[in-house]
Amino acid sequence: SQLAEENSWALSVHEGESVTVNCSYKTSITALQWYRQKSGKGPAQLILIRSNEREKRNGRLRATLDTSSQSSSLSITATRCEDTAVYFCATDGDNYAQGLTFGLGTRVSVFP
Amino acid sequence: ETAVFQTPNYHVTQVGNEVSFNCKQTLGHDTMYWYKQDSKKLLKIMFSYNNKQLIVNETVPRRFSPQSSDKAHLNLRIKSVEPEDSAVYLCASSDRGRTEVFFGKGTRLTVV
């Protein structure tokens, strides 16, 4: 089975600064996804990065994937207070019906 | 509006009672899931279901059971709740490729 883990429990930054969340996983994947969960809501996808990609961008978000070290990172530049959320990485399993395996989550707090 | 809809938002019940949570998706997906999220935000998949296959996480107690009337609905029934069942239950859906998993807002269960 696969296990995705974020490497930090919580990160705090001030508005305008950058923040990076790291993730490691244990087995081979076809893709890795990053999700964000705001208070009172379900997780929502930010970026999907496939195993043959090294980097993916979505606005202020940048995800990297290193399959040799089985790690990924999500960077947010020019952070805003509304970026405050829990960030998860998620990996897929061999059976499509198994859904995604989510990491432990990293709480990012952006202060004014 | 296309999304994943869950009811109720909150539910408080006593130990030993039976509860049922509803979930409907209007995204046309063929696979639905139930995840449990604990107080530390850890997301654990409980069930994956499409019209051909039900996958049950082996750690899920037998008092939990999914109920589906069609591919757009997947309800969750808990036969006799226990205190450790207090959590947020998130319903989700995806297409076969799992390129994105869409979540509902969750049902927060409190067992007293």
Side-chain angles (χ1 to χ4, degrees):
Chain A
S1 61
Q2 299 170 346
L3 175 65
E5 300 178 340
E6 291 81 6
N7 299 122
S8 299
W9 170 245
L11 299 168
S12 297
V13 295
H14 289 285
E15 266 194 316
E17 294 178 341
S18 297
V19 65
T20 297
V21 179
N22 296 306
C23 166
S24 57
Y25 57 92
K26 300 258 171 107
T27 58
S28 64
I29 58 172
T30 57
L32 184 142
Q33 303 181 34
W34 283 96
Y35 283 76
R36 174 173 64 191
Q37 184 177 24
K38 295 190 174 184
S39 180
K41 300 283 180 66
Q45 190 196 65
L46 298 173
I47 288 182
L48 179 150
I49 183 165
R50 300 194 184 280
S51 59
N52 61 353
E53 298 176 310
R54 291 296 168 259
E55 180 181 302
K56 198 85 169 278
R57 291 178 184 267
N58 180 7
R60 295 182 295 112
L61 307 175
R62 173 178 170 261
T64 65
L65 181 64
D66 184 340
T67 52
S68 62
S69 63
Q70 295 185 318
S71 64
S72 176
S73 69
L74 176 72
S75 297
I76 309 171
T77 57
T79 54
R80 305 167 183 166
C81 288
E82 52 263 38
D83 294 327
T84 294
V86 179
Y87 291 78
F88 297 94
C89 62
T91 56
D92 53 7
D94 295 333
N95 186 338
Y96 77 93
Q98 286 179 324
L100 300 180
T101 299
F102 284 79
L104 302 174
T106 295
R107 183 178 297 277
V108 173
S109 300
V110 182
F111 297 98
Chain B
E1 183 188 3
T2 54
V4 180
F5 302 95
Q6 291 186 239
T7 57
N9 294 329
Y10 305 93
H11 190 77
V12 181
T13 191
Q14 293 182 326
V15 172
N17 284 351
E18 177 175 316
V19 299
S20 188
F21 304 145
N22 300 315
C23 179
K24 177 181 86 169
Q25 57 96 2
T26 57
L27 295 159
H29 291 155
D30 61 359
T31 305
M32 296 185 71
Y33 315 90
W34 277 101
Y35 282 81
K36 179 181 180 181
Q37 186 169 43
D38 64 19
S39 58
K40 295 184 177 179
K41 298 295 185 182
L42 183 63
L43 273 165
K44 284 206 164 170
I45 191 160
M46 303 177 71
F47 303 100
S48 302
Y49 182 78
N50 64 20
N51 59 0
K52 295 179 183 177
Q53 190 176 17
L54 169 66
I55 295 183
V56 181
N57 185 321
E58 61 195 17
T59 66
V60 174
R62 290 194 171 192
R63 59 182 180 276
F64 289 84
S65 60
Q67 298 173 318
S68 178
S69 55
D70 55 56
K71 72 173 189 175
H73 295 83
L74 185 67
N75 299 333
L76 179 66
R77 175 180 162 222
I78 313 174
K79 233 177 181 180
S80 177
V81 296
E82 298 189 6
E84 60 263 32
D85 299 338
S86 293
V88 175
Y89 292 87
L90 288 157
C91 178
S93 72
S94 74
D95 60 17
R96 187 184 176 99
R98 294 172 296 166
T99 53
E100 185 169 356
V101 176
F102 291 82
F103 285 84
K105 292 183 179 180
T107 295
R108 180 177 295 278
L109 172 66
T110 301
V111 181
V112 297

